[in-house]
Amino acid sequence: MPPIRSEVLELRATPDIVHVRQTVRARAAEMGFTLVDQTKLVTAASELARNAITYGGGGRVRIEALEEDTRRGLRLTFEDQGAGIANVEQALTDGYTTGNGLGLGLGGARRLVNEFSIHSRVGEGTRVTITRWM
Amino acid sequence: MTAGGGAMERIPILQMGEFLLVTIQVDLNDTLAQTLMDDLTAKVAATGARGVLIDISSVTVVDSFIGRMLNDIAATSRVLDATTVVVGMQPAVAITLVELGLSLGGVRTALNVDRGIALLRAALAAPADATHPE
Amino acid sequence: MARTPERRAQRPVRDARADARHARDAQHPIATVLAEHEAELLTEWLAGQRSTVRRPDLIRDSELNAQAAEFLATLRQAVMTGNVRDVQAPAYDGVRSVLGTLSRARSLQGFTPSETAMFVFSLKGPLYARLRRAVPGGPDQVIDTMAAAGHLLDQLGLYTVEVYQRSREEVIARQQEDMMELSTPVVKLWDGIVALPMIGTLDSARTQVVMETLLQRIVETGAEVAIIDITGVPTVDTLTAQHLLKTVTAARLMGADCIISGIRPQIAQTIVHLGVDLTDVTTKATLADALRLAFTRVGAANGVPLRQTPARA
């Protein structure tokens, strides 16, 4: 089913993370997500936006409002053209990091949403899609 | 780090006797968070403060980056002989942090500023720190 | 349920004279019988109901008589419009309203769905008998009329079952909501102490609601200690145990301590068996033990004398 609303934000530098958080918060609130659900989705978005900027050299995020027969949700797709991830399983493990973070970004984001998928090719980039249903 | 407009922005640090008080009322971008940490460390060292209180009751998102900042502030202050207490975390933020996998083990917490101050005073009075093993 | 153009066409605008002629010439035999023998039909129908489906334990005769009379009156008005097929049409608004009220009331009074539907179906006997005598023409016309009457009453009978079912579902949904509310009664025991006595099986969804409610109440009451009493919880699975653990951690992040009390021996074994680590969580055997510990914690923070015995609530 096609999204009922869609927009794209650029991810160039760390101040853009705040913009992503605020936009996702506004969309989730408009749709009527509970405060806890809003916070989970916004936090996941913050982690993935930072990943795309810090490790992916920047990219973009598509924010889509979904409406199916029995449920509504928000889908976020983060894309970068960075170095890619050689071992996705390892990257999803808590505590694993190549940078100076806590290594909770990917695995943590996965726990905060209902659906999580990641596609990465070394040298081509990474695409992470998350969905949270109401 | 980008050298953008963040250079002008600073979160004010108040001094109250032996304690330093910080109230975060903006959506923290990474630069601002880093600046706050640097400022706090410098001020603890300069004033010989024995306690740091950070009020996050207006903060709606704490991701792993901000969580790490809070952890690092507490750890650095401890080295400089000051106790850190984070007060006023919202339920939605707390639930999300737990789901993210961040328990902020090294950070003391309190429900509000009053309780936080009481905790800092108690920590000063009881150097053995018997009631709160870490 | 949308009003189709055909239905509107059944009620064209006419002048009064045409209306009268229509009533005399084109009236359906069912309408004629209902109009001319309403009182007799009512008597015969009620007599039939008394001998078959009457439930004197659930409904008084006077109430039953009033319901039957009202139903016959609205049915006559509906049938007089010429429509004897489509009970969803606006002409039957009155009939459906009477049956709706009746079915809802009966589902609450304790009637079975069959007994509720029999209210309508039991009209068939007396109505058929009257129609047989009143319908002019040959057997074909009698059969057609009977079939039409049967179809009409069947639809109305089924409508009572639908309403009956719907009102039962409403009751269940409301009870589920009530249970959800009742199952998360966060009570303030003392200044700075709240307790959550949990009762019944904890599934993952309910535990999540409980967790959010408890944390919210901690903020509202400024409680430093929250006691989660699970004396009334028969079993705990891995997910639920983890939810409990997360609640304790989240409360600590907010600046409140949690104490879990009333863990049954089997649950303690389950928790250990499942490998859930509760070493960082304070547990007490009973709610009373937990409360005693809570007093020392709150007292220590507030400077309240520890030996002071709290008044019994």
Side-chain angles (χ1 to χ4, degrees), chain B residues 6-86:
Chain B
M8 302 297 290
E9 266 185 294
R10 278 201 137 78
I11 292 175
I13 301 170
L14 305 179
Q15 186 170 359
M16 202 183 95
E18 296 180 280
F19 306 140
L20 300 179
L21 271 56
V22 176
T23 304
I24 301 175
Q25 284 176 321
V26 295
D27 198 341
L28 273 184
N29 66 46
D30 295 9
T31 315
L32 200 54
Q34 188 63 46
T35 309
L36 172 63
M37 202 175 128
D38 296 346
D39 288 355
L40 256 180
T41 310
K43 197 135 183 179
V44 169
T47 61
R50 300 296 309 281
V52 175
L53 186 144
I54 305 174
D55 179 5
I56 60 164
S57 54
S58 308
V59 173
T60 53
V61 182
V62 174
D63 63 2
S64 64
F65 185 87
I66 301 169
R68 183 170 65 103
M69 175 200 78
L70 294 174
N71 251 341
D72 288 357
I73 288 175
T76 313
S77 302
R78 193 154 50 236
V79 173
L80 298 172
D81 197 23
T83 305
T84 301
V85 56
V86 171

Side-chain angles (χ1 to χ4, degrees), chain B residues 86 88-91 94-95 97-99 102-104 109-111 115 118, chain C residues 211-212 215-216 218-219 222-224 246 249-250 252-256 302:
Chain B
V86 171
M89 187 184 289
Q90 292 298 316
I95 291 171
L97 266 186
V98 172
E99 211 67 58
L102 215 57
S103 58
L104 301 186
T109 54
L111 285 174
R115 295 253 162 267
Chain C
M211 171 176 176
E212 289 175 21
L215 298 181
Q216 195 54 48
I218 286 175
V219 174
E224 292 157 75
K246 284 177 188 171
T249 314
R252 188 178 297 155
L253 283 171
M254 291 165 51
N302 290 353

Side-chain angles (χ1 to χ4, degrees), chain A residues 55-115:
Chain A
Y55 304 115
R60 63 197 57 76
V61 55
R62 177 179 293 280
I63 303 170
E64 294 164 300
L66 307 178
E67 194 161 326
E68 294 184 354
D69 290 341
T70 56
R71 57 181 187 173
R72 300 197 300 144
L74 262 180
R75 180 167 67 202
L76 312 179
T77 307
F78 294 82
E79 273 181 307
D80 66 57
Q81 278 76 48
I85 302 169
N87 187 339
V88 170
E89 269 312 307
Q90 191 181 35
L92 279 165
T93 313
D94 277 358
Y96 177 81
T97 178
T98 54
N100 58 358
L102 287 169
L104 291 170
L106 274 183
R110 179 163 67 169
R111 281 192 295 276
L112 293 174
V113 296
N114 301 118
E115 289 167 24

Side-chain angles (χ1 to χ4, degrees), chain A residues 9-65:
Chain A
L9 302 181
E10 293 294 323
L11 304 170
R12 283 175 295 252
T14 51
D16 291 335
I17 299 171
V18 173
H19 187 216
V20 171
R21 287 206 291 252
Q22 287 165 348
T23 309
V24 173
R25 169 78 69 179
R27 294 298 163 269
E30 282 162 18
M31 289 180 71
F33 274 93
T34 67
L35 189 58
V36 171
D37 284 351
Q38 289 176 30
T39 307
K40 285 181 176 175
L41 187 60
V42 170
T43 307
S46 188
E47 300 294 335
L48 297 175
R50 180 172 291 104
N51 277 353
I53 292 165
T54 311
Y55 304 115
R60 63 197 57 76
V61 55
R62 177 179 293 280
I63 303 170
E64 294 164 300

Side-chain angles (χ1 to χ4, degrees), chain C residues 12-30:
Chain C
V13 181
R14 320 156 189 259
D15 59 41
R17 223 177 40 226
D19 242 4
R21 194 172 57 237
H22 171 77
R24 197 177 57 244
D25 300 342
Q27 201 164 28
H28 196 279
I30 300 173

Side-chain angles (χ1 to χ4, degrees), chain C residues 5 7 161 193 294 312:
Chain C
R7 278 185 203 133
V161 176
I193 305 173
R312 269 191 75 86

